[in-house]
Amino acid sequence: MAFGSVEAIENLAVPGAAEGGDAPKTPPPSRFRFNSPLVQVCLIGLVCFCCPGMFNALSGMGGGGQVEHSAANNANTALYTTFAVFGLLGGGFYNVLGPRLTLFAGCSTYILYAGSFLYYNHHSQQAFVIVAGAILGVGAGLLWAGQGAIMTSYPPVTYKGTYISIFWSIFNLGGVIGGLIPFILNYHRTQAASVNDGTYIAFMCFMSAGMVLSLAILPPSRIVRDDGSRATAVTYSSVSAEGIEILKLFANWKMLLIIPAAWRSNFFYSYQFNNVNGILFNLRTKGLNNVFYWGAQMIGSLAIGYLLDFSFRSRRKRGLIGIFVVTVLGTAIWAGGLANQLRYTDGKWPNKLDFKDSGSSYAGPFVLYFSYGLLDAMFQSLCYWVIGALADDSETLSRYSGFYKGVQSAGAAVAWQVDENKTPLVWQLIVNWGLTTVSYPLLALLVMMAVNDDESPARGKGVEGPEPEPEPEPEP
C-alpha cells in the first residue's frame, strides 16, 4: 500500500476499512474525513460547480452568450434529447462502472460544449455546436445520475435535506462565479454583442478542473457516516440486469407520480434565460443578473433544506409543509411573471435595461429574475428530498435519480424547441405555470403514501414493510 494514496488515507482514518469488515467499532472522530458523507457531498458539489455550474452560467446569458439564439436553441434540443435517454440509463451506468468512471466521462463532455461556442464565435456554423450539444447530453446523463445517487444515499437519513442544500449551494456558486466571468470580461460592451473568446476559454478551464476533481469521488462501500454506519455498498450490476430494472421504473407508481414535477423542473429555463434575461437586459447586465439568479438558488436551497430537516419531528409533515411553502411562493412568483410578461407580449423590448443607467426601471424585472432562481432551487431541492426519502441504498437511488433526470431532460428538449418555433411568450409562461401547479398535489400524494415517519426510507430495495406508528408530537 503506497503511503499517501487515497486508499491509505481511508484505511488509516477508519478502523476495519482495509479489511472490508462491518461498521467500525468506534465512530470516526471527525466529519471532515476524506471518506465522510460531508466531504464527499462537498466534492460532488465542487465537480458540479465546475461543470454544470459553468454551463448554467453560459446558458443563463441567453443564446449561450450569442446575440442570435438559434444555435443555442438547436444545440440544447440535441443536448436534452440525448440527456433524456442517458439520464434514464445513467443509473445503470453508475451501477456498472462506479462513481469515478461515470463522473469523469460525464465531465469531459462539458469542455467540448464550451469549446464549440468558441468555434462558433469565429465560423458561425451550427453543426459543431449541435453535435457537441448531443454529446454533452450523453455526458450530463451520466454525471447527474451519479450525482443524484451520491447526494441522496451517502448522507445520514435524518440530514438529507441539509446535505442536499449544501450540495446545491456549492453547485450554484459555480453559476455565481460563472456569471461574474462574462460580466467582468464584457463590462464595457453595453451594446448588443456576443461574448468574447476569453469568456468561453475561462469556462473551459473551470470545466477541466471539474473533470479532474471527479476522480476524488469514493464508491459507496468506502463511505462511513459520523455514527460509524456505512453507506449501502453496491454490488456492481450487469448491463442486462440494469436494463430490466430501468424498464421496471415505468411501472413504478412512485416514479409515475413524480413525472410532472420532473418534466417541469427544467422546462422553464428556455423562457427565463432567453425571454426574460435575454430580451430585457444588455450584455453586461445579463451577466450580473446571473450572479444573483444563481445566488438566489443558494439561498433557496438552504432555506428549504432547513425546513425539510428540522421544522417538525414527523418527516411526512416536513415534506407536506415544504410542498405548501413552495406552492404559495411559486404561485406568487409566476403571477408576478405574468404581470411583467404582459408588458412585452410581442417579444420585443425597446430599450435594453442596464443596471447602472436604467434606474428604477431595472428593479422590477431584476427582482423577478432573482425570484425565479429562488423558486428553482427550492422546487428541485424538494424533489431530491422526496426521492431520497423513497429509498436508502445507492443502487436504487441511482435509478430513481436517473429516471428523474431523464424525464426532466425530455421536458427541456421540448421547451427549447417551443422557444425556437417562436411560441408566443405569454403562452410559454402559462404552460410553465400550469405544469408547476399540477406537480404540487402529486408530490403531496407521494409524500403521504410513500414517506415514512420513522426515518427509515425504504426497508430493502423497493420492498416495503408495514407502516410504523407515528411518534406523538411533543407537548408545547
Side-chain angles (χ1 to χ4, degrees), residues 285-306:
T285 305
K286 286 189 289 186
L288 180 65
N289 289 348
N290 275 335
V291 173
F292 287 94
Y293 182 92
W294 302 112
Q297 298 234 359
M298 298 169 65
I299 297 170
S301 64
L302 290 170
I304 196 68
Y306 181 86

mmCIF file with all atom_site columns, all heavy atoms in Angstrom, residues 285-306:
data_model
loop_
_atom_site.group_PDB
_atom_site.id
_atom_site.type_symbol
_atom_site.label_atom_id
_atom_site.label_alt_id
_atom_site.label_comp_id
_atom_site.label_asym_id
_atom_site.label_entity_id
_atom_site.label_seq_id
_atom_site.pdbx_PDB_ins_code
_atom_site.Cartn_x
_atom_site.Cartn_y
_atom_site.Cartn_z
_atom_site.occupancy
_atom_site.B_iso_or_equiv
_atom_site.pdbx_formal_charge
_atom_site.auth_seq_id
_atom_site.auth_comp_id
_atom_site.auth_asym_id
_atom_site.auth_atom_id
_atom_site.pdbx_PDB_model_num
ATOM 1   N N   . THR A 1 285 ? -25.293 43.436 -18.137 1.00 0.00 ? 285 THR A N   1
ATOM 2   C CA  . THR A 1 285 ? -26.304 43.280 -17.095 1.00 0.00 ? 285 THR A CA  1
ATOM 3   C C   . THR A 1 285 ? -26.824 41.856 -17.043 1.00 0.00 ? 285 THR A C   1
ATOM 4   O O   . THR A 1 285 ? -27.164 41.350 -15.962 1.00 0.00 ? 285 THR A O   1
ATOM 5   C CB  . THR A 1 285 ? -27.459 44.271 -17.331 1.00 0.00 ? 285 THR A CB  1
ATOM 6   O OG1 . THR A 1 285 ? -26.926 45.599 -17.404 1.00 0.00 ? 285 THR A OG1 1
ATOM 7   C CG2 . THR A 1 285 ? -28.476 44.219 -16.209 1.00 0.00 ? 285 THR A CG2 1
ATOM 8   N N   . LYS A 1 286 ? -26.851 41.164 -18.189 1.00 0.00 ? 286 LYS A N   1
ATOM 9   C CA  . LYS A 1 286 ? -27.249 39.756 -18.180 1.00 0.00 ? 286 LYS A CA  1
ATOM 10  C C   . LYS A 1 286 ? -26.285 38.934 -17.334 1.00 0.00 ? 286 LYS A C   1
ATOM 11  O O   . LYS A 1 286 ? -26.701 38.046 -16.585 1.00 0.00 ? 286 LYS A O   1
ATOM 12  C CB  . LYS A 1 286 ? -27.288 39.206 -19.618 1.00 0.00 ? 286 LYS A CB  1
ATOM 13  C CG  . LYS A 1 286 ? -28.475 39.697 -20.425 1.00 0.00 ? 286 LYS A CG  1
ATOM 14  C CD  . LYS A 1 286 ? -28.602 38.975 -21.749 1.00 0.00 ? 286 LYS A CD  1
ATOM 15  C CE  . LYS A 1 286 ? -27.520 39.368 -22.733 1.00 0.00 ? 286 LYS A CE  1
ATOM 16  N NZ  . LYS A 1 286 ? -27.759 38.740 -24.067 1.00 0.00 ? 286 LYS A NZ  1
ATOM 17  N N   . GLY A 1 287 ? -24.988 39.221 -17.455 1.00 0.00 ? 287 GLY A N   1
ATOM 18  C CA  . GLY A 1 287 ? -24.009 38.511 -16.630 1.00 0.00 ? 287 GLY A CA  1
ATOM 19  C C   . GLY A 1 287 ? -24.203 38.813 -15.155 1.00 0.00 ? 287 GLY A C   1
ATOM 20  O O   . GLY A 1 287 ? -24.149 37.904 -14.309 1.00 0.00 ? 287 GLY A O   1
ATOM 21  N N   . LEU A 1 288 ? -24.443 40.076 -14.810 1.00 0.00 ? 288 LEU A N   1
ATOM 22  C CA  . LEU A 1 288 ? -24.678 40.440 -13.415 1.00 0.00 ? 288 LEU A CA  1
ATOM 23  C C   . LEU A 1 288 ? -25.944 39.784 -12.887 1.00 0.00 ? 288 LEU A C   1
ATOM 24  O O   . LEU A 1 288 ? -25.976 39.289 -11.753 1.00 0.00 ? 288 LEU A O   1
ATOM 25  C CB  . LEU A 1 288 ? -24.779 41.964 -13.293 1.00 0.00 ? 288 LEU A CB  1
ATOM 26  C CG  . LEU A 1 288 ? -25.017 42.494 -11.877 1.00 0.00 ? 288 LEU A CG  1
ATOM 27  C CD1 . LEU A 1 288 ? -23.830 42.179 -10.981 1.00 0.00 ? 288 LEU A CD1 1
ATOM 28  C CD2 . LEU A 1 288 ? -25.288 44.004 -11.912 1.00 0.00 ? 288 LEU A CD2 1
ATOM 29  N N   . ASN A 1 289 ? -26.995 39.757 -13.692 1.00 0.00 ? 289 ASN A N   1
ATOM 30  C CA  . ASN A 1 289 ? -28.242 39.121 -13.266 1.00 0.00 ? 289 ASN A CA  1
ATOM 31  C C   . ASN A 1 289 ? -28.022 37.649 -12.927 1.00 0.00 ? 289 ASN A C   1
ATOM 32  O O   . ASN A 1 289 ? -28.630 37.123 -11.981 1.00 0.00 ? 289 ASN A O   1
ATOM 33  C CB  . ASN A 1 289 ? -29.294 39.229 -14.371 1.00 0.00 ? 289 ASN A CB  1
ATOM 34  C CG  . ASN A 1 289 ? -29.820 40.634 -14.546 1.00 0.00 ? 289 ASN A CG  1
ATOM 35  O OD1 . ASN A 1 289 ? -29.578 41.506 -13.706 1.00 0.00 ? 289 ASN A OD1 1
ATOM 36  N ND2 . ASN A 1 289 ? -30.526 40.870 -15.630 1.00 0.00 ? 289 ASN A ND2 1
ATOM 37  N N   . ASN A 1 290 ? -27.174 36.989 -13.696 1.00 0.00 ? 290 ASN A N   1
ATOM 38  C CA  . ASN A 1 290 ? -26.924 35.583 -13.435 1.00 0.00 ? 290 ASN A CA  1
ATOM 39  C C   . ASN A 1 290 ? -26.209 35.366 -12.100 1.00 0.00 ? 290 ASN A C   1
ATOM 40  O O   . ASN A 1 290 ? -26.401 34.342 -11.454 1.00 0.00 ? 290 ASN A O   1
ATOM 41  C CB  . ASN A 1 290 ? -26.109 34.962 -14.565 1.00 0.00 ? 290 ASN A CB  1
ATOM 42  C CG  . ASN A 1 290 ? -26.991 34.514 -15.707 1.00 0.00 ? 290 ASN A CG  1
ATOM 43  O OD1 . ASN A 1 290 ? -28.163 34.229 -15.531 1.00 0.00 ? 290 ASN A OD1 1
ATOM 44  N ND2 . ASN A 1 290 ? -26.421 34.466 -16.902 1.00 0.00 ? 290 ASN A ND2 1
ATOM 45  N N   . VAL A 1 291 ? -25.370 36.313 -11.705 1.00 0.00 ? 291 VAL A N   1
ATOM 46  C CA  . VAL A 1 291 ? -24.739 36.231 -10.391 1.00 0.00 ? 291 VAL A CA  1
ATOM 47  C C   . VAL A 1 291 ? -25.815 36.133 -9.317  1.00 0.00 ? 291 VAL A C   1
ATOM 48  O O   . VAL A 1 291 ? -25.754 35.296 -8.399  1.00 0.00 ? 291 VAL A O   1
ATOM 49  C CB  . VAL A 1 291 ? -23.836 37.452 -10.140 1.00 0.00 ? 291 VAL A CB  1
ATOM 50  C CG1 . VAL A 1 291 ? -23.322 37.459 -8.703  1.00 0.00 ? 291 VAL A CG1 1
ATOM 51  C CG2 . VAL A 1 291 ? -22.671 37.463 -11.126 1.00 0.00 ? 291 VAL A CG2 1
ATOM 52  N N   . PHE A 1 292 ? -26.837 36.962 -9.424  1.00 0.00 ? 292 PHE A N   1
ATOM 53  C CA  . PHE A 1 292 ? -27.893 36.979 -8.422  1.00 0.00 ? 292 PHE A CA  1
ATOM 54  C C   . PHE A 1 292 ? -28.893 35.842 -8.619  1.00 0.00 ? 292 PHE A C   1
ATOM 55  O O   . PHE A 1 292 ? -29.464 35.343 -7.646  1.00 0.00 ? 292 PHE A O   1
ATOM 56  C CB  . PHE A 1 292 ? -28.603 38.334 -8.447  1.00 0.00 ? 292 PHE A CB  1
ATOM 57  C CG  . PHE A 1 292 ? -27.780 39.443 -7.867  1.00 0.00 ? 292 PHE A CG  1
ATOM 58  C CD1 . PHE A 1 292 ? -27.000 40.250 -8.676  1.00 0.00 ? 292 PHE A CD1 1
ATOM 59  C CD2 . PHE A 1 292 ? -27.764 39.671 -6.499  1.00 0.00 ? 292 PHE A CD2 1
ATOM 60  C CE1 . PHE A 1 292 ? -26.227 41.265 -8.150  1.00 0.00 ? 292 PHE A CE1 1
ATOM 61  C CE2 . PHE A 1 292 ? -26.997 40.681 -5.950  1.00 0.00 ? 292 PHE A CE2 1
ATOM 62  C CZ  . PHE A 1 292 ? -26.224 41.483 -6.782  1.00 0.00 ? 292 PHE A CZ  1
ATOM 63  N N   . TYR A 1 293 ? -29.126 35.412 -9.856  1.00 0.00 ? 293 TYR A N   1
ATOM 64  C CA  . TYR A 1 293 ? -30.024 34.286 -10.117 1.00 0.00 ? 293 TYR A CA  1
ATOM 65  C C   . TYR A 1 293 ? -29.509 33.023 -9.437  1.00 0.00 ? 293 TYR A C   1
ATOM 66  O O   . TYR A 1 293 ? -30.255 32.328 -8.728  1.00 0.00 ? 293 TYR A O   1
ATOM 67  C CB  . TYR A 1 293 ? -30.134 34.077 -11.628 1.00 0.00 ? 293 TYR A CB  1
ATOM 68  C CG  . TYR A 1 293 ? -31.085 32.971 -12.058 1.00 0.00 ? 293 TYR A CG  1
ATOM 69  C CD1 . TYR A 1 293 ? -32.414 33.253 -12.344 1.00 0.00 ? 293 TYR A CD1 1
ATOM 70  C CD2 . TYR A 1 293 ? -30.645 31.655 -12.194 1.00 0.00 ? 293 TYR A CD2 1
ATOM 71  C CE1 . TYR A 1 293 ? -33.291 32.251 -12.763 1.00 0.00 ? 293 TYR A CE1 1
ATOM 72  C CE2 . TYR A 1 293 ? -31.510 30.646 -12.603 1.00 0.00 ? 293 TYR A CE2 1
ATOM 73  C CZ  . TYR A 1 293 ? -32.827 30.950 -12.894 1.00 0.00 ? 293 TYR A CZ  1
ATOM 74  O OH  . TYR A 1 293 ? -33.684 29.952 -13.298 1.00 0.00 ? 293 TYR A OH  1
ATOM 75  N N   . TRP A 1 294 ? -28.217 32.731 -9.638  1.00 0.00 ? 294 TRP A N   1
ATOM 76  C CA  . TRP A 1 294 ? -27.650 31.541 -9.021  1.00 0.00 ? 294 TRP A CA  1
ATOM 77  C C   . TRP A 1 294 ? -27.367 31.757 -7.549  1.00 0.00 ? 294 TRP A C   1
ATOM 78  O O   . TRP A 1 294 ? -27.405 30.805 -6.758  1.00 0.00 ? 294 TRP A O   1
ATOM 79  C CB  . TRP A 1 294 ? -26.399 31.099 -9.779  1.00 0.00 ? 294 TRP A CB  1
ATOM 80  C CG  . TRP A 1 294 ? -26.679 30.824 -11.220 1.00 0.00 ? 294 TRP A CG  1
ATOM 81  C CD1 . TRP A 1 294 ? -26.236 31.533 -12.300 1.00 0.00 ? 294 TRP A CD1 1
ATOM 82  C CD2 . TRP A 1 294 ? -27.523 29.788 -11.755 1.00 0.00 ? 294 TRP A CD2 1
ATOM 83  N NE1 . TRP A 1 294 ? -26.735 31.005 -13.465 1.00 0.00 ? 294 TRP A NE1 1
ATOM 84  C CE2 . TRP A 1 294 ? -27.537 29.932 -13.168 1.00 0.00 ? 294 TRP A CE2 1
ATOM 85  C CE3 . TRP A 1 294 ? -28.268 28.758 -11.181 1.00 0.00 ? 294 TRP A CE3 1
ATOM 86  C CZ2 . TRP A 1 294 ? -28.251 29.085 -14.001 1.00 0.00 ? 294 TRP A CZ2 1
ATOM 87  C CZ3 . TRP A 1 294 ? -28.991 27.918 -12.017 1.00 0.00 ? 294 TRP A CZ3 1
ATOM 88  C CH2 . TRP A 1 294 ? -28.978 28.081 -13.402 1.00 0.00 ? 294 TRP A CH2 1
ATOM 89  N N   . GLY A 1 295 ? -27.127 32.995 -7.137  1.00 0.00 ? 295 GLY A N   1
ATOM 90  C CA  . GLY A 1 295 ? -27.026 33.295 -5.710  1.00 0.00 ? 295 GLY A CA  1
ATOM 91  C C   . GLY A 1 295 ? -28.348 33.060 -5.001  1.00 0.00 ? 295 GLY A C   1
ATOM 92  O O   . GLY A 1 295 ? -28.385 32.550 -3.873  1.00 0.00 ? 295 GLY A O   1
ATOM 93  N N   . ALA A 1 296 ? -29.442 33.423 -5.661  1.00 0.00 ? 296 ALA A N   1
ATOM 94  C CA  . ALA A 1 296 ? -30.767 33.157 -5.092  1.00 0.00 ? 296 ALA A CA  1
ATOM 95  C C   . ALA A 1 296 ? -30.998 31.664 -4.918  1.00 0.00 ? 296 ALA A C   1
ATOM 96  O O   . ALA A 1 296 ? -31.676 31.229 -3.975  1.00 0.00 ? 296 ALA A O   1
ATOM 97  C CB  . ALA A 1 296 ? -31.848 33.759 -6.001  1.00 0.00 ? 296 ALA A CB  1
ATOM 98  N N   . GLN A 1 297 ? -30.424 30.863 -5.826  1.00 0.00 ? 297 GLN A N   1
ATOM 99  C CA  . GLN A 1 297 ? -30.570 29.423 -5.696  1.00 0.00 ? 297 GLN A CA  1
ATOM 100 C C   . GLN A 1 297 ? -29.886 28.917 -4.421  1.00 0.00 ? 297 GLN A C   1
ATOM 101 O O   . GLN A 1 297 ? -30.375 27.990 -3.761  1.00 0.00 ? 297 GLN A O   1
ATOM 102 C CB  . GLN A 1 297 ? -29.967 28.737 -6.925  1.00 0.00 ? 297 GLN A CB  1
ATOM 103 C CG  . GLN A 1 297 ? -30.656 29.116 -8.221  1.00 0.00 ? 297 GLN A CG  1
ATOM 104 C CD  . GLN A 1 297 ? -31.118 27.909 -9.007  1.00 0.00 ? 297 GLN A CD  1
ATOM 105 O OE1 . GLN A 1 297 ? -30.915 26.784 -8.616  1.00 0.00 ? 297 GLN A OE1 1
ATOM 106 N NE2 . GLN A 1 297 ? -31.760 28.163 -10.127 1.00 0.00 ? 297 GLN A NE2 1
ATOM 107 N N   . MET A 1 298 ? -28.756 29.501 -4.063  1.00 0.00 ? 298 MET A N   1
ATOM 108 C CA  . MET A 1 298 ? -28.082 29.114 -2.835  1.00 0.00 ? 298 MET A CA  1
ATOM 109 C C   . MET A 1 298 ? -28.960 29.411 -1.620  1.00 0.00 ? 298 MET A C   1
ATOM 110 O O   . MET A 1 298 ? -29.105 28.581 -0.716  1.00 0.00 ? 298 MET A O   1
ATOM 111 C CB  . MET A 1 298 ? -26.740 29.847 -2.727  1.00 0.00 ? 298 MET A CB  1
ATOM 112 C CG  . MET A 1 298 ? -25.763 29.512 -3.850  1.00 0.00 ? 298 MET A CG  1
ATOM 113 S SD  . MET A 1 298 ? -24.322 30.597 -3.897  1.00 0.00 ? 298 MET A SD  1
ATOM 114 C CE  . MET A 1 298 ? -23.535 30.180 -2.342  1.00 0.00 ? 298 MET A CE  1
ATOM 115 N N   . ILE A 1 299 ? -29.582 30.584 -1.623  1.00 0.00 ? 299 ILE A N   1
ATOM 116 C CA  . ILE A 1 299 ? -30.466 30.963 -0.514  1.00 0.00 ? 299 ILE A CA  1
ATOM 117 C C   . ILE A 1 299 ? -31.681 30.031 -0.459  1.00 0.00 ? 299 ILE A C   1
ATOM 118 O O   . ILE A 1 299 ? -32.064 29.529 0.610   1.00 0.00 ? 299 ILE A O   1
ATOM 119 C CB  . ILE A 1 299 ? -30.921 32.427 -0.676  1.00 0.00 ? 299 ILE A CB  1
ATOM 120 C CG1 . ILE A 1 299 ? -29.718 33.369 -0.606  1.00 0.00 ? 299 ILE A CG1 1
ATOM 121 C CG2 . ILE A 1 299 ? -31.956 32.795 0.388   1.00 0.00 ? 299 ILE A CG2 1
ATOM 122 C CD1 . ILE A 1 299 ? -30.038 34.802 -0.984  1.00 0.00 ? 299 ILE A CD1 1
ATOM 123 N N   . GLY A 1 300 ? -32.282 29.784 -1.618  1.00 0.00 ? 300 GLY A N   1
ATOM 124 C CA  . GLY A 1 300 ? -33.474 28.948 -1.660  1.00 0.00 ? 300 GLY A CA  1
ATOM 125 C C   . GLY A 1 300 ? -33.208 27.531 -1.200  1.00 0.00 ? 300 GLY A C   1
ATOM 126 O O   . GLY A 1 300 ? -34.013 26.942 -0.465  1.00 0.00 ? 300 GLY A O   1
ATOM 127 N N   . SER A 1 301 ? -32.077 26.952 -1.618  1.00 0.00 ? 301 SER A N   1
ATOM 128 C CA  . SER A 1 301 ? -31.776 25.569 -1.238  1.00 0.00 ? 301 SER A CA  1
ATOM 129 C C   . SER A 1 301 ? -31.508 25.457 0.259   1.00 0.00 ? 301 SER A C   1
ATOM 130 O O   . SER A 1 301 ? -31.931 24.491 0.905   1.00 0.00 ? 301 SER A O   1
ATOM 131 C CB  . SER A 1 301 ? -30.577 25.055 -2.041  1.00 0.00 ? 301 SER A CB  1
ATOM 132 O OG  . SER A 1 301 ? -29.413 25.790 -1.744  1.00 0.00 ? 301 SER A OG  1
ATOM 133 N N   . LEU A 1 302 ? -30.805 26.438 0.841   1.00 0.00 ? 302 LEU A N   1
ATOM 134 C CA  . LEU A 1 302 ? -30.545 26.402 2.279   1.00 0.00 ? 302 LEU A CA  1
ATOM 135 C C   . LEU A 1 302 ? -31.832 26.539 3.071   1.00 0.00 ? 302 LEU A C   1
ATOM 136 O O   . LEU A 1 302 ? -32.042 25.850 4.081   1.00 0.00 ? 302 LEU A O   1
ATOM 137 C CB  . LEU A 1 302 ? -29.561 27.515 2.659   1.00 0.00 ? 302 LEU A CB  1
ATOM 138 C CG  . LEU A 1 302 ? -28.124 27.335 2.175   1.00 0.00 ? 302 LEU A CG  1
ATOM 139 C CD1 . LEU A 1 302 ? -27.307 28.603 2.404   1.00 0.00 ? 302 LEU A CD1 1
ATOM 140 C CD2 . LEU A 1 302 ? -27.463 26.148 2.883   1.00 0.00 ? 302 LEU A CD2 1
ATOM 141 N N   . ALA A 1 303 ? -32.736 27.418 2.620   1.00 0.00 ? 303 ALA A N   1
ATOM 142 C CA  . ALA A 1 303 ? -33.995 27.636 3.336   1.00 0.00 ? 303 ALA A CA  1
ATOM 143 C C   . ALA A 1 303 ? -34.876 26.390 3.314   1.00 0.00 ? 303 ALA A C   1
ATOM 144 O O   . ALA A 1 303 ? -35.392 25.946 4.345   1.00 0.00 ? 303 ALA A O   1
ATOM 145 C CB  . ALA A 1 303 ? -34.739 28.829 2.729   1.00 0.00 ? 303 ALA A CB  1
ATOM 146 N N   . ILE A 1 304 ? -35.048 25.788 2.133   1.00 0.00 ? 304 ILE A N   1
ATOM 147 C CA  . ILE A 1 304 ? -35.924 24.620 2.038   1.00 0.00 ? 304 ILE A CA  1
ATOM 148 C C   . ILE A 1 304 ? -35.262 23.416 2.705   1.00 0.00 ? 304 ILE A C   1
ATOM 149 O O   . ILE A 1 304 ? -35.944 22.561 3.292   1.00 0.00 ? 304 ILE A O   1
ATOM 150 C CB  . ILE A 1 304 ? -36.295 24.325 0.567   1.00 0.00 ? 304 ILE A CB  1
ATOM 151 C CG1 . ILE A 1 304 ? -37.498 23.371 0.496   1.00 0.00 ? 304 ILE A CG1 1
ATOM 152 C CG2 . ILE A 1 304 ? -35.117 23.777 -0.203  1.00 0.00 ? 304 ILE A CG2 1
ATOM 153 C CD1 . ILE A 1 304 ? -38.782 23.964 0.977   1.00 0.00 ? 304 ILE A CD1 1
ATOM 154 N N   . GLY A 1 305 ? -33.930 23.324 2.665   1.00 0.00 ? 305 GLY A N   1
ATOM 155 C CA  . GLY A 1 305 ? -33.232 22.221 3.333   1.00 0.00 ? 305 GLY A CA  1
ATOM 156 C C   . GLY A 1 305 ? -33.442 22.259 4.831   1.00 0.00 ? 305 GLY A C   1
ATOM 157 O O   . GLY A 1 305 ? -33.680 21.218 5.469   1.00 0.00 ? 305 GLY A O   1
ATOM 158 N N   . TYR A 1 306 ? -33.389 23.444 5.417   1.00 0.00 ? 306 TYR A N   1
ATOM 159 C CA  . TYR A 1 306 ? -33.632 23.569 6.858   1.00 0.00 ? 306 TYR A CA  1
ATOM 160 C C   . TYR A 1 306 ? -35.067 23.180 7.186   1.00 0.00 ? 306 TYR A C   1
ATOM 161 O O   . TYR A 1 306 ? -35.325 22.439 8.155   1.00 0.00 ? 306 TYR A O   1
ATOM 162 C CB  . TYR A 1 306 ? -33.360 25.008 7.311   1.00 0.00 ? 306 TYR A CB  1
ATOM 163 C CG  . TYR A 1 306 ? -33.558 25.208 8.798   1.00 0.00 ? 306 TYR A CG  1
ATOM 164 C CD1 . TYR A 1 306 ? -32.514 24.947 9.686   1.00 0.00 ? 306 TYR A CD1 1
ATOM 165 C CD2 . TYR A 1 306 ? -34.779 25.621 9.308   1.00 0.00 ? 306 TYR A CD2 1
ATOM 166 C CE1 . TYR A 1 306 ? -32.691 25.108 11.051  1.00 0.00 ? 306 TYR A CE1 1
ATOM 167 C CE2 . TYR A 1 306 ? -34.970 25.778 10.681  1.00 0.00 ? 306 TYR A CE2 1
ATOM 168 C CZ  . TYR A 1 306 ? -33.922 25.524 11.549  1.00 0.00 ? 306 TYR A CZ  1
ATOM 169 O OH  . TYR A 1 306 ? -34.104 25.675 12.900  1.00 0.00 ? 306 TYR A OH  1
#
